[in-house]
Amino acid sequence: MIVSERTYRFSYNAWLTILAVSIPFRIPATVLLILFAVYNLVFFNQLKFTRRRVFFMFLIAAPFILDLLFLWNNTSIAEGIKHGEKRLSLFLLPFFILSQNHRFNTVLILRYYALATTTILSLCLVRFAMIEPELFSKYLIGVDLWEMGYAFARSIKMHAPALNMHVAFVVVINFYFFKEALGQIRKTHVIWRLVFFLISVILLLYINTRLAIVNAFFGIILISLADVRKLKTKGLFKRLAIGVFGFALLSYGFVKIFPYSIEKFSEVTFAHLDKVGKLDSLKNPEASAYNGLVTRLSIWKTSLDVALEHPGIGVGAADGKQAVINKFEATNQQFLTKYKFPVHNQFLDFWIKFGVLGLLVVVVYIGLFAYIGFSSRQILSVFFFMLFLTANLVDDFLIRFDGIVFSALWLSIFTKNALDIKLDKG
């Protein structure tokens, strides 16, 4: 098929934007990912492979390669293949994206991704208020606030922490472009970008997962200070003050409406830390510890024991979770056994499954965002590193479709942009 170079570039930018926007919605995202692969195969002549590109393809695909290398280590080969299939996009996305022989408009992709995601999730929230008016009104009058945002996330078949990781990224992107608009002559750009930034903050606060809110706050500070050498002190503090003040003002208003947020960030999070590994001694751990740090610490303590029992080659991707559950049972931790908690830490998860090589691969994969960001001065890649690192310290997003595709897509885009920047300089 023959198309003009301009048409092909435009369509590829559109593909990447649509893929990024679709990720929170698993079925559409899966269909689009398949169509994207077919599209690239149709235009296979557009692909160009160099040693440097292949090297970074290998690094991004490393978690998937582990599945192949350690397939024999699973009790069931069929189950091992299923786990590897989840991470297939870690091979496909860098293979197709990094091999493109033209530059992407990364700025345009980021901008339209943030605008479209903010708009779609806002409409989803309105839909939620319409289909669940009783539940939505409960939030407004301060009833059942412990479930804040989780019901909304479930209404679009998402897990709240995963959804809020996406939203935190969108908040910081919206602030990035709002900050850029401050230096433009057309003030209408400032107004509508501010509006989208504030809407995305409201979405973030409504879903209300602690880590995502903290990440967004520090992301705003990071973006404000990113070009500190180019700004005069007055301009620097003006941008920083606007971002932090806007975020803080919305947060204050939100806390006034939903005061449980303060309790969630303080008492609920840090309660019963003396009960690590002894959750069954609590009268009602479901009510008092389910969402607390003490549960995570108890899971990590047991998971570390499992990892240290199989430090070299692990127990296999298909058997990792069950090995931890078996350890819960062996140590008579009934609460953790009942709910069959996963590891909730990607570093420990891969260490258990693939041994010390798995731990190294996670470090390299997540650290690649920082390397790419700092080496090519892509501040949003640096923020993604901070966001994805902290998210995977308390959860395991390389076992979830949304975490796998989300990270692989943006890491591939940021890396391709970095390679193009280096090519221009070289």
Short mmCIF file of all heavy atoms in Angstrom, two decimals, residues 81-129:
data_model
loop_
_atom_site.label_atom_id
_atom_site.label_comp_id
_atom_site.label_asym_id
_atom_site.label_seq_id
_atom_site.Cartn_x
_atom_site.Cartn_y
_atom_site.Cartn_z
N ILE A 81 2.71 -19.85 29.61
CA ILE A 81 2.48 -19.17 28.33
C ILE A 81 1.43 -18.08 28.50
O ILE A 81 1.56 -16.98 27.94
CB ILE A 81 2.02 -20.19 27.27
CG1 ILE A 81 3.19 -21.13 26.92
CG2 ILE A 81 1.52 -19.47 26.02
CD1 ILE A 81 2.81 -22.28 26.01
N LYS A 82 0.39 -18.34 29.31
CA LYS A 82 -0.65 -17.32 29.55
C LYS A 82 -0.04 -16.08 30.21
O LYS A 82 -0.39 -14.95 29.84
CB LYS A 82 -1.74 -17.89 30.45
CG LYS A 82 -2.69 -18.86 29.75
CD LYS A 82 -3.79 -19.32 30.70
CE LYS A 82 -4.72 -20.30 30.03
NZ LYS A 82 -5.78 -20.78 30.96
N HIS A 83 0.85 -16.29 31.17
CA HIS A 83 1.48 -15.14 31.83
C HIS A 83 2.39 -14.39 30.87
O HIS A 83 2.46 -13.16 30.91
CB HIS A 83 2.27 -15.62 33.05
CG HIS A 83 1.41 -15.88 34.24
ND1 HIS A 83 1.25 -14.96 35.26
CD2 HIS A 83 0.65 -16.95 34.59
CE1 HIS A 83 0.42 -15.46 36.17
NE2 HIS A 83 0.04 -16.66 35.80
N GLY A 84 3.07 -15.12 29.99
CA GLY A 84 3.91 -14.47 29.00
C GLY A 84 3.10 -13.68 27.99
O GLY A 84 3.50 -12.60 27.55
N GLU A 85 1.92 -14.21 27.64
CA GLU A 85 1.03 -13.54 26.70
C GLU A 85 0.62 -12.16 27.21
O GLU A 85 0.47 -11.21 26.43
CB GLU A 85 -0.20 -14.41 26.46
CG GLU A 85 -1.14 -13.88 25.41
CD GLU A 85 -2.39 -14.75 25.27
OE1 GLU A 85 -2.61 -15.63 26.13
OE2 GLU A 85 -3.13 -14.53 24.30
N LYS A 86 0.44 -12.02 28.53
CA LYS A 86 0.08 -10.73 29.11
C LYS A 86 1.13 -9.67 28.80
O LYS A 86 0.82 -8.49 28.64
CB LYS A 86 -0.04 -10.84 30.64
CG LYS A 86 -1.25 -11.60 31.13
CD LYS A 86 -1.26 -11.59 32.66
CE LYS A 86 -2.42 -12.36 33.23
NZ LYS A 86 -2.39 -12.36 34.73
N ARG A 87 2.40 -10.11 28.72
CA ARG A 87 3.50 -9.15 28.53
C ARG A 87 3.98 -9.09 27.09
O ARG A 87 5.04 -8.51 26.82
CB ARG A 87 4.64 -9.49 29.49
CG ARG A 87 4.33 -9.11 30.93
CD ARG A 87 5.53 -9.34 31.85
NE ARG A 87 5.60 -10.70 32.32
CZ ARG A 87 5.02 -11.14 33.45
NH1 ARG A 87 4.34 -10.30 34.20
NH2 ARG A 87 5.13 -12.40 33.82
N LEU A 88 3.22 -9.67 26.16
CA LEU A 88 3.62 -9.66 24.75
C LEU A 88 3.75 -8.25 24.20
O LEU A 88 4.60 -7.98 23.35
CB LEU A 88 2.59 -10.45 23.93
CG LEU A 88 2.85 -10.56 22.42
CD1 LEU A 88 4.19 -11.22 22.13
CD2 LEU A 88 1.71 -11.33 21.74
N SER A 89 2.92 -7.33 24.70
CA SER A 89 2.98 -5.94 24.21
C SER A 89 4.31 -5.28 24.56
O SER A 89 4.70 -4.30 23.91
CB SER A 89 1.82 -5.13 24.79
OG SER A 89 1.84 -5.14 26.20
N LEU A 90 5.03 -5.80 25.55
CA LEU A 90 6.35 -5.28 25.87
C LEU A 90 7.36 -5.55 24.75
O LEU A 90 8.40 -4.89 24.67
CB LEU A 90 6.87 -5.89 27.18
CG LEU A 90 6.15 -5.46 28.46
CD1 LEU A 90 6.60 -6.32 29.63
CD2 LEU A 90 6.41 -3.99 28.74
N PHE A 91 7.03 -6.53 23.91
CA PHE A 91 7.84 -6.79 22.71
C PHE A 91 7.29 -6.04 21.50
O PHE A 91 8.03 -5.38 20.77
CB PHE A 91 7.88 -8.29 22.42
CG PHE A 91 8.42 -8.62 21.06
CD1 PHE A 91 9.79 -8.54 20.80
CD2 PHE A 91 7.56 -8.99 20.03
CE1 PHE A 91 10.29 -8.82 19.54
CE2 PHE A 91 8.05 -9.29 18.77
CZ PHE A 91 9.42 -9.21 18.52
N LEU A 92 5.97 -6.11 21.31
CA LEU A 92 5.37 -5.54 20.10
C LEU A 92 5.51 -4.02 20.03
O LEU A 92 5.88 -3.49 18.97
CB LEU A 92 3.88 -5.92 20.05
CG LEU A 92 3.55 -7.40 19.85
CD1 LEU A 92 2.05 -7.61 19.90
CD2 LEU A 92 4.12 -7.91 18.53
N LEU A 93 5.21 -3.33 21.12
CA LEU A 93 5.21 -1.87 21.08
C LEU A 93 6.60 -1.29 20.79
O LEU A 93 6.74 -0.46 19.88
CB LEU A 93 4.63 -1.30 22.37
CG LEU A 93 3.11 -1.47 22.50
CD1 LEU A 93 2.63 -1.13 23.90
CD2 LEU A 93 2.38 -0.61 21.48
N PRO A 94 7.65 -1.67 21.52
CA PRO A 94 8.97 -1.13 21.16
C PRO A 94 9.44 -1.59 19.78
O PRO A 94 10.12 -0.84 19.07
CB PRO A 94 9.89 -1.65 22.27
CG PRO A 94 9.19 -2.82 22.86
CD PRO A 94 7.73 -2.51 22.73
N PHE A 95 9.09 -2.83 19.37
CA PHE A 95 9.50 -3.34 18.06
C PHE A 95 8.97 -2.44 16.95
O PHE A 95 9.71 -2.07 16.03
CB PHE A 95 9.00 -4.77 17.89
CG PHE A 95 9.38 -5.40 16.58
CD1 PHE A 95 10.63 -5.98 16.42
CD2 PHE A 95 8.49 -5.41 15.51
CE1 PHE A 95 10.99 -6.56 15.20
CE2 PHE A 95 8.85 -5.98 14.29
CZ PHE A 95 10.10 -6.56 14.14
N PHE A 96 7.69 -2.08 17.02
CA PHE A 96 7.09 -1.28 15.97
C PHE A 96 7.41 0.21 16.12
O PHE A 96 7.64 0.90 15.12
CB PHE A 96 5.57 -1.49 15.95
CG PHE A 96 5.15 -2.85 15.48
CD1 PHE A 96 4.25 -3.60 16.22
CD2 PHE A 96 5.65 -3.37 14.31
CE1 PHE A 96 3.84 -4.86 15.78
CE2 PHE A 96 5.25 -4.64 13.86
CZ PHE A 96 4.36 -5.39 14.60
N ILE A 97 7.41 0.72 17.34
CA ILE A 97 7.56 2.16 17.55
C ILE A 97 9.00 2.62 17.36
O ILE A 97 9.28 3.60 16.67
CB ILE A 97 7.02 2.55 18.94
CG1 ILE A 97 5.50 2.35 18.99
CG2 ILE A 97 7.38 4.00 19.27
CD1 ILE A 97 4.89 2.56 20.37
N LEU A 98 9.94 1.91 17.95
CA LEU A 98 11.34 2.33 17.86
C LEU A 98 11.91 2.15 16.47
O LEU A 98 12.90 2.80 16.11
CB LEU A 98 12.20 1.57 18.87
CG LEU A 98 12.40 2.24 20.23
CD1 LEU A 98 11.07 2.41 20.97
CD2 LEU A 98 13.36 1.43 21.09
N SER A 99 11.31 1.28 15.67
CA SER A 99 11.83 1.02 14.33
C SER A 99 11.28 1.98 13.28
O SER A 99 11.67 1.91 12.10
CB SER A 99 11.51 -0.42 13.91
OG SER A 99 10.12 -0.64 13.90
N GLN A 100 10.39 2.88 13.67
CA GLN A 100 9.85 3.85 12.72
C GLN A 100 10.96 4.78 12.23
O GLN A 100 11.76 5.27 13.02
CB GLN A 100 8.73 4.67 13.35
CG GLN A 100 7.47 3.87 13.63
CD GLN A 100 6.86 3.30 12.36
OE1 GLN A 100 6.65 4.02 11.38
NE2 GLN A 100 6.55 2.02 12.39
N ASN A 101 10.97 5.03 10.93
CA ASN A 101 12.05 5.81 10.34
C ASN A 101 11.71 7.30 10.21
O ASN A 101 12.30 8.00 9.39
CB ASN A 101 12.41 5.24 8.96
CG ASN A 101 13.83 5.56 8.58
OD1 ASN A 101 14.68 5.77 9.44
ND2 ASN A 101 14.10 5.62 7.28
N HIS A 102 10.74 7.75 10.99
CA HIS A 102 10.40 9.17 10.99
C HIS A 102 10.17 9.62 12.44
O HIS A 102 9.94 8.80 13.32
CB HIS A 102 9.13 9.43 10.17
CG HIS A 102 7.90 8.82 10.76
ND1 HIS A 102 7.57 7.49 10.57
CD2 HIS A 102 6.92 9.32 11.56
CE1 HIS A 102 6.45 7.22 11.21
NE2 HIS A 102 6.02 8.30 11.83
N ARG A 103 10.23 10.90 12.64
CA ARG A 103 10.05 11.46 13.98
C ARG A 103 8.57 11.54 14.32
O ARG A 103 7.73 11.81 13.45
CB ARG A 103 10.66 12.86 14.09
CG ARG A 103 12.17 12.88 14.00
CD ARG A 103 12.72 14.20 14.49
NE ARG A 103 12.46 14.38 15.92
CZ ARG A 103 13.21 15.13 16.72
NH1 ARG A 103 14.24 15.79 16.24
NH2 ARG A 103 12.91 15.25 17.99
N PHE A 104 8.26 11.34 15.60
CA PHE A 104 6.90 11.55 16.08
C PHE A 104 6.76 12.98 16.58
O PHE A 104 7.74 13.61 16.99
CB PHE A 104 6.56 10.61 17.24
CG PHE A 104 6.71 9.15 16.94
CD1 PHE A 104 7.06 8.25 17.93
CD2 PHE A 104 6.52 8.66 15.65
CE1 PHE A 104 7.19 6.91 17.67
CE2 PHE A 104 6.65 7.32 15.36
CZ PHE A 104 7.00 6.44 16.38
N ASN A 105 5.52 13.46 16.58
CA ASN A 105 5.23 14.74 17.22
C ASN A 105 4.84 14.43 18.67
O ASN A 105 3.66 14.39 19.01
CB ASN A 105 4.12 15.48 16.48
CG ASN A 105 4.00 16.92 16.93
OD1 ASN A 105 4.35 17.26 18.06
ND2 ASN A 105 3.52 17.77 16.05
N THR A 106 5.85 14.20 19.51
CA THR A 106 5.61 13.75 20.89
C THR A 106 4.80 14.77 21.68
O THR A 106 3.93 14.40 22.48
CB THR A 106 6.94 13.48 21.60
OG1 THR A 106 7.73 12.59 20.79
CG2 THR A 106 6.72 12.84 22.96
N VAL A 107 5.07 16.03 21.46
CA VAL A 107 4.34 17.09 22.16
C VAL A 107 2.86 17.03 21.83
O VAL A 107 1.99 17.13 22.71
CB VAL A 107 4.92 18.48 21.82
CG1 VAL A 107 4.03 19.59 22.37
CG2 VAL A 107 6.33 18.62 22.37
N LEU A 108 2.56 16.86 20.53
CA LEU A 108 1.16 16.78 20.10
C LEU A 108 0.48 15.54 20.68
O LEU A 108 -0.67 15.59 21.12
CB LEU A 108 1.10 16.75 18.57
CG LEU A 108 -0.28 16.99 17.94
CD1 LEU A 108 -0.69 18.44 18.12
CD2 LEU A 108 -0.24 16.64 16.46
N ILE A 109 1.18 14.42 20.68
CA ILE A 109 0.63 13.17 21.22
C ILE A 109 0.28 13.35 22.70
O ILE A 109 -0.81 12.98 23.14
CB ILE A 109 1.63 12.01 21.03
CG1 ILE A 109 1.79 11.68 19.55
CG2 ILE A 109 1.17 10.77 21.81
CD1 ILE A 109 2.94 10.74 19.25
N LEU A 110 1.20 13.91 23.46
CA LEU A 110 0.98 14.13 24.89
C LEU A 110 -0.20 15.07 25.14
O LEU A 110 -1.04 14.82 25.99
CB LEU A 110 2.24 14.70 25.53
CG LEU A 110 3.38 13.71 25.79
CD1 LEU A 110 4.69 14.47 25.99
CD2 LEU A 110 3.07 12.85 27.01
N ARG A 111 -0.26 16.15 24.37
CA ARG A 111 -1.31 17.15 24.58
C ARG A 111 -2.69 16.57 24.31
O ARG A 111 -3.59 16.67 25.15
CB ARG A 111 -1.07 18.36 23.67
CG ARG A 111 -2.09 19.48 23.88
CD ARG A 111 -1.88 20.57 22.84
NE ARG A 111 -0.54 21.13 22.93
CZ ARG A 111 0.10 21.68 21.90
NH1 ARG A 111 -0.47 21.74 20.71
NH2 ARG A 111 1.30 22.18 22.06
N TYR A 112 -2.85 15.92 23.16
CA TYR A 112 -4.17 15.39 22.82
C TYR A 112 -4.53 14.18 23.67
O TYR A 112 -5.71 13.94 23.95
CB TYR A 112 -4.24 15.06 21.32
CG TYR A 112 -4.46 16.31 20.50
CD1 TYR A 112 -3.40 16.91 19.82
CD2 TYR A 112 -5.71 16.90 20.43
CE1 TYR A 112 -3.60 18.06 19.07
CE2 TYR A 112 -5.92 18.06 19.69
CZ TYR A 112 -4.86 18.64 19.02
OH TYR A 112 -5.06 19.80 18.30
N TYR A 113 -3.53 13.42 24.08
CA TYR A 113 -3.79 12.31 25.02
C TYR A 113 -4.38 12.84 26.32
O TYR A 113 -5.39 12.30 26.82
CB TYR A 113 -2.49 11.56 25.30
CG TYR A 113 -2.48 10.80 26.60
CD1 TYR A 113 -3.24 9.64 26.76
CD2 TYR A 113 -1.71 11.24 27.68
CE1 TYR A 113 -3.24 8.93 27.96
CE2 TYR A 113 -1.70 10.54 28.88
CZ TYR A 113 -2.46 9.39 29.02
OH TYR A 113 -2.46 8.71 30.21
N ALA A 114 -3.79 13.89 26.87
CA ALA A 114 -4.26 14.44 28.15
C ALA A 114 -5.64 15.06 28.00
O ALA A 114 -6.52 14.87 28.85
CB ALA A 114 -3.26 15.47 28.67
N LEU A 115 -5.86 15.80 26.92
CA LEU A 115 -7.16 16.44 26.71
C LEU A 115 -8.27 15.40 26.51
O LEU A 115 -9.35 15.50 27.10
CB LEU A 115 -7.10 17.37 25.49
CG LEU A 115 -6.18 18.59 25.59
CD1 LEU A 115 -6.18 19.37 24.28
CD2 LEU A 115 -6.60 19.49 26.74
N ALA A 116 -7.99 14.39 25.69
CA ALA A 116 -8.99 13.37 25.41
C ALA A 116 -9.29 12.52 26.65
O ALA A 116 -10.45 12.22 26.95
CB ALA A 116 -8.52 12.48 24.26
N THR A 117 -8.25 12.16 27.39
CA THR A 117 -8.45 11.34 28.58
C THR A 117 -9.24 12.11 29.64
O THR A 117 -10.15 11.55 30.27
CB THR A 117 -7.09 10.89 29.17
OG1 THR A 117 -6.37 10.16 28.17
CG2 THR A 117 -7.29 10.00 30.39
N THR A 118 -8.92 13.38 29.82
CA THR A 118 -9.65 14.21 30.78
C THR A 118 -11.12 14.30 30.39
O THR A 118 -12.02 14.16 31.23
CB THR A 118 -9.05 15.63 30.84
OG1 THR A 118 -7.67 15.56 31.19
CG2 THR A 118 -9.78 16.48 31.88
N THR A 119 -11.39 14.52 29.11
CA THR A 119 -12.76 14.64 28.62
C THR A 119 -13.54 13.33 28.80
O THR A 119 -14.66 13.32 29.32
CB THR A 119 -12.77 15.03 27.13
OG1 THR A 119 -12.06 16.27 26.98
CG2 THR A 119 -14.19 15.19 26.62
N ILE A 120 -12.92 12.23 28.40
CA ILE A 120 -13.61 10.93 28.46
C ILE A 120 -13.90 10.53 29.91
O ILE A 120 -15.02 10.08 30.23
CB ILE A 120 -12.77 9.85 27.76
CG1 ILE A 120 -12.75 10.10 26.24
CG2 ILE A 120 -13.32 8.44 28.06
CD1 ILE A 120 -11.77 9.23 25.49
N LEU A 121 -12.92 10.70 30.80
CA LEU A 121 -13.14 10.32 32.20
C LEU A 121 -14.15 11.25 32.88
O LEU A 121 -14.89 10.83 33.77
CB LEU A 121 -11.82 10.32 32.95
CG LEU A 121 -10.85 9.18 32.58
CD1 LEU A 121 -9.56 9.29 33.39
CD2 LEU A 121 -11.49 7.82 32.79
N SER A 122 -14.19 12.51 32.45
CA SER A 122 -15.21 13.43 32.98
C SER A 122 -16.61 12.96 32.59
O SER A 122 -17.54 12.96 33.41
CB SER A 122 -14.98 14.85 32.44
OG SER A 122 -13.73 15.34 32.85
N LEU A 123 -16.75 12.53 31.34
CA LEU A 123 -18.04 12.00 30.88
C LEU A 123 -18.39 10.71 31.61
O LEU A 123 -19.56 10.45 31.92
CB LEU A 123 -18.00 11.77 29.37
CG LEU A 123 -17.88 13.03 28.50
CD1 LEU A 123 -17.69 12.66 27.04
CD2 LEU A 123 -19.10 13.93 28.67
N CYS A 124 -17.36 9.91 31.89
CA CYS A 124 -17.60 8.67 32.65
C CYS A 124 -18.09 8.98 34.06
O CYS A 124 -18.93 8.25 34.61
CB CYS A 124 -16.31 7.84 32.72
SG CYS A 124 -15.86 7.04 31.17
N LEU A 125 -17.57 10.07 34.66
CA LEU A 125 -18.00 10.46 36.00
C LEU A 125 -19.45 10.95 35.97
O LEU A 125 -20.24 10.63 36.87
CB LEU A 125 -17.08 11.54 36.56
CG LEU A 125 -17.32 11.95 38.01
CD1 LEU A 125 -17.19 10.75 38.95
CD2 LEU A 125 -16.35 13.06 38.44
N VAL A 126 -19.80 11.70 34.93
CA VAL A 126 -21.19 12.14 34.78
C VAL A 126 -22.10 10.92 34.59
O VAL A 126 -23.18 10.84 35.19
CB VAL A 126 -21.32 13.09 33.57
CG1 VAL A 126 -22.79 13.40 33.29
CG2 VAL A 126 -20.53 14.38 33.83
N ARG A 127 -21.65 9.98 33.77
CA ARG A 127 -22.41 8.74 33.57
C ARG A 127 -22.59 8.00 34.89
O ARG A 127 -23.68 7.49 35.19
CB ARG A 127 -21.69 7.86 32.56
CG ARG A 127 -22.21 6.42 32.47
CD ARG A 127 -21.36 5.58 31.53
NE ARG A 127 -21.70 4.16 31.62
CZ ARG A 127 -21.16 3.31 32.48
NH1 ARG A 127 -20.26 3.74 33.37
NH2 ARG A 127 -21.51 2.04 32.48
N PHE A 128 -21.54 7.94 35.69
CA PHE A 128 -21.60 7.26 36.97
C PHE A 128 -22.64 7.91 37.88
O PHE A 128 -23.40 7.23 38.57
CB PHE A 128 -20.23 7.28 37.64
CG PHE A 128 -20.20 6.68 39.01
CD1 PHE A 128 -20.39 5.31 39.19
CD2 PHE A 128 -19.98 7.47 40.14
CE1 PHE A 128 -20.36 4.75 40.46
CE2 PHE A 128 -19.94 6.91 41.40
CZ PHE A 128 -20.14 5.55 41.57
N ALA A 129 -22.67 9.25 37.88
CA ALA A 129 -23.65 9.97 38.70
C ALA A 129 -25.08 9.67 38.25
O ALA A 129 -26.01 9.67 39.06
CB ALA A 129 -23.38 11.46 38.63
#
